Amino acid sequence: MATVTLKGNTLNTIGNLPQNQSKAENIELVKTDLSTLNLTDYLGKKVVLNIFPSVDTGVCAQSVRQFNKDLSSLENTVVICVSKDLPFAQNRFCAAEGLDNVIMASDFRTDFGKVYGVEMTDGPLKGLLARAVVVLNEEGTIVYTELVPEITTEPNYEAALTATK
């Protein structure tokens, strides 16, 4: 179990992020068209998992915008934005913002949060995902992780960008 804070108040997660240099566990998520996204579908590409509580908050929305902008020019790289938001809300957000360089994926009916150790187990955000970033190389090996200590702050975009290069 790891801890994060929400405005200084400690919250616990169900586990810990996977270790760097470990093989990423395959996960299933739900895309905005309700089809299934499997992480193994992206073998051969670099993958950035942008994980957050809800796209309906300012910091979460900003992280989607920032990753859409920062990583859109990188070759052979995909950004998968993961939250427990319903796929309809994720789709609506991207359409309204004109974001088309990220893949939105929902954990609303999967076990991603448990497998990757980011589901919060207490506090007002219990059941939602903590803010984190996981970067995989083309072979599906984890090369960077960040569990953002304070949920109301943005991830380290520069470190994630550097890890994808």
Side-chain angles (χ1 to χ4, degrees), residues 35-134:
S35 65
T36 301
L37 177 150
N38 287 290
L39 195 54
T40 55
D41 294 341
Y42 299 94
L43 285 175
K45 293 182 182 272
K46 296 174 188 170
V47 176
V48 177
L49 296 172
N50 174 31
I51 306 161
F52 51 88
S54 175
V55 76
D56 285 327
T57 67
V59 176
C60 299
Q62 180 56 32
S63 74
V64 175
R65 287 185 205 104
Q66 195 67 43
F67 278 119
N68 183 77
K69 177 181 162 238
D70 287 353
L71 299 175
S72 64
S73 64
L74 294 182
E75 298 267 334
N76 203 37
T77 303
V78 296
V79 177
I80 302 172
C81 296
V82 185
S83 69
K84 290 236 180 175
D85 291 301
L86 292 177
F88 315 112
Q90 293 175 331
N91 191 46
R92 187 171 44 250
F93 171 78
C94 284
E97 295 280 331
L99 306 177
D100 56 6
N101 296 319
V102 294
I103 299 166
M104 298 300 283
S106 178
D107 181 29
F108 86 103
R109 65 177 182 212
T110 72
D111 62 352
F112 171 84
K114 290 175 178 63
V115 172
Y116 276 71
V118 293
E119 185 174 306
M120 291 181 277
T121 60
D122 54 15
L125 300 180
K126 179 180 180 177
L128 295 179
L129 306 178
R131 186 175 318 287
V133 177
V134 177

Side-chain angles (χ1 to χ4, degrees), residues 3-5 17 51 59 130-133 145-156:
T3 60
V4 294
T5 59
L17 283 172
I51 306 161
V59 176
R131 186 175 318 287
V133 177
T145 63
E146 176 191 10
L147 179 63
V148 179
E150 169 58 47
I151 290 177
T152 62
T153 61
E154 294 179 56
N156 185 337

